[in-house]
Amino acid sequence: MAEADRSALITTDTHGVRTHTCGELRAEHKGESVVLKGWVDTRRDLGGLVFIDLRDRYGLTQIVFSPQANEDAYETAQQLRSEDVISVRGTVAARKDQAVNPAMPTGTIEVQGDACAVLNVSDTPPFVVSTQDESRVDANEDLRLKYRYLDLRRPALQRNLELRHRFYQTTRRFFDQHDFLEVETPVLMKSTPEGARDFLVPSRLHPGHFYALPQSPQTYKQILMVSGLDRYVQIVKCFRDEDLRADRQPEFTQVDVEMTFATEEQVYDLMEGLMADLWADLKDTEIDTPFPRMTYDEAMRTYGSDKPDVRFDLKLQDVSDAFDGCGFRVFQSIIDDDGRIMALPVPGEGDRGRSAMDRLTDYVTDTIGAAGLIYIQQGEDDEVPSCNVSTNAIPQEHVEAAFEQAGAEPGDLVLLVAGPTPTVYEQAGQLRLHMADDLGLRPEPGEGPDRFLWVTDFPLLEWDDEHERYAPMHHPFTAPKDEHLDRLDDDPGAVEARAYDLVLNGHEIGGGSIRIHNREMQARMFDVLGIDAEEAEQRFGFLLDAFRYGAPPHGGIALGLDRLIMLIAGASSLREVIAFPKTQSAKEPMVNSPDTVDAEQLETLHIDTVSDEEDA
């Protein structure tokens, strides 16, 4: 039958309501008359019988049609194709011993079909909706997203969305038990500088004026604390117009939390309790609390990252002292300019050959962006360590001192990266992750134990080379440490913040701080950031005014819900845990978003567009 003619198969459903789902029936249901409804997963014609695996969100059930049981149902079943929607009435029967499928929860039974109604037919899908082998996806990601409604029929994605649902329930239950109020904050708000680009929404009623979609509800939740609500939580959509990657989307969801009279310890304790509940409910696993803590400075110097993956033991070592006075101009100039020489000792790799080291050098220069790679290695049979730079350039005693200072032993390899801080830390950190992957030390997503970590004592500010001024490392409402206030005007880069990040398996899953709650302190912070009084009043006057009227101390945190669920699910991309995600180019292929709008709409909004040619 031609594909266009298959609509003739559609019949009226006279079977009544569904009695069971396709994942529900077991041996104890033997002999019961049932009605199942769902999608045809597979069809097999065998020896005068038609076997249909019927699928819904809950699982698969095997249906058997025979001409002896019902000739009409058998003939209908012969014409079914994958993804047809059908209703089946039949009787539950036990499978023969040799036909039992232990891999299916319903594998001990089958339904002997008495009647089959075709509720709708399907064209041949653009890719196989595989349920038998979930690792098999015969389509690239763009095609899967274009036909997302088919992709979402895969059990793996449905399980991820169910996991997301359960995450919501556990989170809301936890915060309700801790006396938090869930309060919705505006989606149309004022554009404020938060370190990333806003999505702007033109106002029809106020020509030339724009709303911004929130990058976070930061100022609103602080206002709620000034209002005396004491404890606020919201599972909230946020938006950032920035480049995408596997763990970033332009619209994302976060668990937003704020408390009055909060201390860092209270935030740590609260979030550790939430994580313990989530792991118990979603992974049936008990996690150890309290979580370990590490300062930002220690994380950067030891792991080359402010979100270190501590599941494996490769650690960086600063060997600058070993090369001071060595005569090697490249190293000496870096040391003289207050840069650092960082070593990554790699146990047991001292016998790596030249070709392998050449490939590693190419990775360091081409991917990491370092100027080059110098390495020291000592094979099992070597008496002393040797360097890929000649002893005429770096004397042997400095090579041996660096090898020892790195904590290396005979049989080990030591990789050296040199440059200004903090860039050299970050480059060494990328090299650490690369070597961990190369040696199989870093677990695959979803494998191995989960390692939580608090990173604390962040710098309050970081230097922005592009704008030649300081910018907030988190946001401009983060409180500086009281003991560092005297440095804020003369040495702002040395001021530490009352800020903290929660890290899981090398991913930042949350960030927060104790906030500024004093008007004078907030105005001083704006001044350090180059925001003069007039601009501060224009952008943040409402917050500064609120601070006049008894604003209490407060603090909080925001958790990246999508990223956290990705890690719990063992997925490799956020797109696997979001129902309708965007692509790497920030598009949604299914609905073709973003798209153009007609001229009348633009005129109503008082907007004119500029073509690429005009813009150039």
Side-chain angles (χ1 to χ4, degrees):
M1 182 180 294
E3 195 160 75
D5 298 329
R6 297 190 72 243
S7 59
L9 291 174
I10 299 174
T11 55
T12 302
D13 181 6
T14 59
H15 302 159
V17 298
R18 177 175 61 174
T19 62
H20 298 80
T21 69
C22 293
E24 187 175 352
L25 298 175
R26 300 292 187 272
E28 57 265 27
H29 296 97
K30 179 182 175 182
E32 292 186 20
S33 178
V34 298
V35 175
L36 304 181
K37 302 176 192 284
W39 286 262
V40 174
D41 192 72
T42 57
R43 188 199 75 202
R44 304 179 302 281
D45 295 338
L46 300 172
L49 299 174
V50 175
F51 292 84
I52 297 291
D53 284 337
L54 191 63
R55 181 187 75 239
D56 62 13
R57 171 186 137 197
Y58 307 95
L60 291 172
T61 297
Q62 179 172 282
I63 316 294
V64 183
F65 294 97
S66 69
Q68 291 80 20
N70 187 297
E71 181 73 30
D72 290 341
Y74 173 73
E75 290 182 0
T76 298
Q78 286 184 309
Q79 301 176 74
L80 295 175
R81 294 183 184 177
S82 295
E83 305 312 313
D84 286 346
V85 185
I86 64 174
S87 174
V88 173
R89 187 178 65 224
T91 304
V92 181
R95 292 197 196 190
K96 295 179 180 179
D97 290 345
Q98 63 271 27
V100 169
N101 184 352
M104 288 175 60
T106 61
T108 60
I109 61 93
E110 61 190 18
V111 172
Q112 296 174 344
D114 303 327
C116 180
V118 179
L119 309 182
N120 213 340
V121 294
S122 173
D123 289 350
T124 301
F127 55 86
V128 175
V129 181
S130 175
T131 60
Q132 308 298 329
D133 179 6
E134 293 191 32
S135 64
R136 176 187 169 209
V137 182
D138 295 328
N140 62 41
E141 189 172 61
D142 285 348
L143 185 64
R144 288 171 52 204
L145 292 178
K146 179 177 175 63
Y147 296 94
R148 187 62 165 179
Y149 42 84
L150 296 177
D151 200 31
L152 284 171
R153 293 180 188 175
R154 294 193 296 117
L157 286 183
Q158 293 188 346
R159 282 197 300 270
N160 288 346
L161 294 184
E162 180 184 355
L163 180 72
R164 192 179 180 107
H165 162 80
R166 291 168 56 202
F167 184 104
Y168 293 154
Q169 308 315 309
T170 298
T171 299
R172 287 193 163 104
R173 182 168 57 249
F174 175 86
F175 282 107
D176 183 60
Q177 291 170 348
H178 287 78
D179 205 27
F180 281 75
L181 296 180
E182 186 167 4
V183 182
E184 295 179 350
T185 53
V187 175
L188 296 177
M189 59 177 289
K190 183 184 183 71
S191 178
T192 59
E194 297 240 4
R197 296 178 179 176
D198 285 332
F199 282 100
L200 299 178
V201 180
S203 170
R204 178 182 61 84
L205 297 177
H206 303 279
H209 291 71
F210 294 83
Y211 301 103
L213 302 182
Q215 295 176 37
S216 95
Q218 182 64 44
T219 52
Y220 282 108
K221 68 180 182 179
Q222 291 191 243
I223 291 292
L224 289 173
M225 297 303 98
V226 177
S227 304
L229 267 69
D230 192 62
R231 292 191 159 202
Y232 145 93
V233 67
Q234 184 180 189
I235 298 178
V236 59
K237 276 281 191 182
C238 299
F239 307 84
R240 288 182 187 165
D241 189 8
E242 55 189 4
D243 295 337
L244 274 68
R245 55 183 184 229
D247 63 349
R248 179 179 291 169
Q249 285 275 301
E251 57 178 301
F252 56 96
T253 307
Q254 66 185 37
V255 181
D256 206 46
V257 179
E258 199 79 3
M259 299 184 288
T260 54
F261 311 113
T263 65
E264 289 89 338
E265 294 297 331
Q266 285 179 298
V267 175
Y268 300 158
D269 184 63
L270 182 78
M271 289 299 105
E272 288 169 5
L274 174 62
M275 294 301 112
D277 275 12
L278 287 170
W279 257 245
D281 290 354
L282 305 184
K283 301 190 72 172
D284 194 24
T285 300
E286 186 176 334
I287 58 176
D288 293 330
T289 58
F291 299 156
R293 302 176 191 178
M294 182 181 299
T295 67
Y296 169 85
D297 187 65
E298 181 185 357
M300 294 300 294
R301 291 177 181 273
T302 308
Y303 297 99
S305 172
D306 59 3
K307 48 182 183 295
D309 190 338
V310 295
R311 293 175 295 173
F312 55 94
D313 202 33
L314 296 181
K315 294 181 179 179
L316 306 178
Q317 301 290 336
D318 188 335
V319 294
S320 306
D321 292 346
F323 290 105
D324 196 7
C326 71
F328 186 45
R329 285 187 300 173
V330 174
F331 279 1
Q332 196 61 56
S333 64
I334 288 171
I335 294 170
D336 291 344
D337 289 339
D338 295 324
R340 311 309 296 168
I341 302 168
M342 301 303 297
L344 176 66
V346 187
E349 294 297 311
D351 287 315
R352 279 206 171 201
R354 178 64 181 270
S355 60
M357 295 310 301
D358 286 345
R359 288 193 298 272
L360 188 56
T361 299
D362 290 342
Y363 174 82
V364 167
T365 56
D366 298 343
T367 303
I368 294 179
L373 176 67
I374 294 176
Y375 53 89
I376 304 170
Q377 55 190 152
Q378 183 174 3
E380 293 290 351
D381 299 326
D382 297 338
E383 293 185 6
V384 295
S386 61
C387 181
N388 65 322
V389 175
S390 73
T391 54
N392 291 330
I394 304 179
Q396 181 65 22
E397 60 267 26
H398 291 276
V399 171
E400 293 181 17
F403 196 77
E404 180 180 356
Q405 193 170 332
E409 298 178 352
D412 292 351
L413 169 69
V414 175
L415 306 174
L416 302 174
V417 181
T421 61
T423 302
V424 68
Y425 297 147
E426 295 165 354
Q427 291 171 340
Q430 292 179 58
L431 180 58
R432 172 180 180 265
L433 295 179
H434 176 77
M435 292 305 299
D437 290 337
D438 185 53
L439 298 172
L441 300 178
R442 188 156 58 152
E444 294 293 325
E447 296 181 0
D450 293 313
R451 296 287 300 275
F452 290 91
L453 175 72
W454 286 106
V455 177
T456 67
D457 301 331
F458 279 83
L460 181 68
L461 307 168
E462 57 186 346
W463 183 253
D464 183 343
D465 287 325
E466 181 181 353
H467 297 96
E468 296 186 340
R469 64 182 183 184
Y470 281 103
M473 181 162 276
H474 283 78
H475 54 60
F477 316 109
T478 298
K481 289 188 174 183
D482 290 343
E483 61 268 30
H484 291 178
L485 288 179
D486 58 346
R487 306 179 191 172
L488 192 56
D489 297 318
D490 298 331
D491 190 11
V495 178
E496 289 183 359
R498 296 182 67 182
Y500 35 81
D501 280 357
L502 182 56
V503 176
L504 172 62
N505 299 343
H507 296 265
E508 178 202 333
I509 60 170
S513 66
I514 304 302
R515 324 300 189 188
I516 296 170
H517 67 280
N518 176 276
R519 176 185 170 88
E520 288 70 28
M521 183 68 249
Q522 187 64 74
R524 186 178 174 191
M525 175 64 71
F526 289 150
D527 185 59
V528 170
L529 296 173
I531 301 173
D532 62 28
E534 182 179 351
E535 183 182 3
E537 182 64 32
Q538 192 272 327
R539 291 190 172 190
F540 302 107
F542 65 96
L543 185 65
L544 294 171
D545 284 347
F547 284 174
R548 294 178 186 272
Y549 300 100
H554 55 280
I557 193 170
L559 296 176
L561 185 148
D562 307 300
R563 188 176 298 170
L564 187 49
I565 293 176
M566 178 187 77
L567 295 172
I568 295 173
S572 58
S573 167
L574 291 180
R575 292 184 287 278
E576 297 299 305
V577 298
I578 298 173
F580 301 104
K582 303 292 189 291
T583 65
Q584 288 280 10
S585 59
K587 291 186 176 182
E588 189 188 331
M590 187 182 73
V591 300
N592 192 31
S593 169
D595 200 359
T596 58
V597 297
D598 61 46
E600 184 177 351
Q601 286 179 281
L602 293 176
E603 185 178 356
T604 300
L605 294 169
H606 308 278
I607 290 177
D608 193 10
T609 59
V610 178
S611 68
D612 290 342
E613 291 80 8
E614 290 179 84
D615 195 34

